[in-house]
Amino acid sequence: MTQPRTPAGTTSGTDARPGLWRPVLLRSAAALVFGALTIFWAAPSIEVMGWSGGLYLLATGVLLLRTVPAAGLPQGAAPGKMLAAAGAVMAGAGFSLVLMHGDLLFGVVAAVGLGLAGALELAIGLTLRGRHVLARDWITSGIIGLGTAALLPFFIGLGAHALLGVAGGGAIISGVLWVLSGLTLRHDARSAAGNP
C-alpha cells in the first residue's frame, strides 16, 4: 500500500503530490461501482455485461491517462510511456466492449486488456520501486490485473454472470487498494500543505 510520507529522508518522487489523489480515488470509485454492480445484478444480460464491463475498462483507462501528469512521470520517460500505454490499452478494450457484445468477445478482450495493462503496471512498479509513492500499488494492481486476465478465459462458457463475477472480483480488490492509496495521498498532501 501507499506508505505515509515521512517528513525527513524522502527520496525524490516519493513526496506527496497535491493532485495525485484525485485520479487515484476516481479510479477506485470506478472499480468499486463496477464491482458492486456485478454483485447485485442477479441475472445480467450479454448487453449489460458489455456495457458495464466496457464502461469500467474505458473509465479506468482514461483515469490511468490522467494519472501520468499527476504522478509527475515525464511523458517522454519510459514509466510515463508505459502508464500511458496501459491507459490506452484499457480504454481501447473498454471501447470495444461497449460497441460489441458477446461472451467470447468479453472474455478475450477483457482478458487481453487487463493482462496487458496489468503487465505494464507491474513493470512500472518494479521500475520505480523505492522511487515513487505509487510503486508498490502499481505492483499489486498489476498482479491483480494479470490474475483476473488469467481467470477470465476459463469462465467464458459459463456466461455473463460468471464473467462479470470474475471481472468484478478483481475490480473490488483493486478498488479497495486504490481507495486506501488515494486516501493516504490525500492525507499526505494536506499534511504537506499545512507544514511551513
Side-chain angles (χ1 to χ4, degrees):
M1 297 296 165
T2 302
Q3 293 297 310
R5 178 181 168 268
T6 55
T10 56
T11 56
S12 177
T14 62
D15 56 334
R17 299 188 185 277
L20 182 55
W21 63 271
R22 287 181 182 95
V24 170
L25 279 180
L26 287 172
R27 179 180 180 177
S28 71
L32 292 173
V33 166
F34 173 68
L37 176 75
T38 65
I39 290 171
F40 295 112
W41 201 300
S45 66
I46 291 173
E47 288 76 22
V48 167
M49 176 181 63
W51 276 98
S52 62
L55 289 174
Y56 162 62
L57 293 177
L58 182 61
T60 303
V62 169
L63 291 167
L64 273 171
L65 290 169
R66 287 188 57 194
T67 304
V68 175
L73 300 175
Q75 291 185 355
K81 287 180 179 180
M82 287 191 293
L83 191 59
V89 165
M90 290 282 271
F95 189 68
S96 299
L97 292 177
V98 166
L99 293 179
M100 301 175 284
H101 304 152
D103 292 340
L104 178 63
L105 182 73
F106 184 90
V108 171
V109 171
V112 168
L114 288 167
L116 287 174
L120 288 166
E121 279 192 298
L122 180 60
I124 295 163
L126 292 172
T127 302
L128 296 176
R129 189 172 45 187
R131 295 185 297 143
H132 197 280
V133 69
L134 289 180
R136 285 194 278 175
D137 300 312
W138 282 321
I139 291 170
T140 307
S141 183
I143 292 169
I144 294 167
L146 287 169
T148 304
L151 289 175
L152 275 172
F154 295 106
F155 291 85
I156 292 172
L158 299 176
H161 186 67
L163 287 167
L164 279 178
V166 172
I172 289 171
I173 295 167
S174 67
V176 170
L177 163 80
W178 288 113
V179 77
L180 292 172
S181 296
L183 291 175
T184 301
L185 288 168
R186 184 172 184 221
H187 177 268
D188 290 349
R190 280 188 168 179
S191 296
N195 291 338

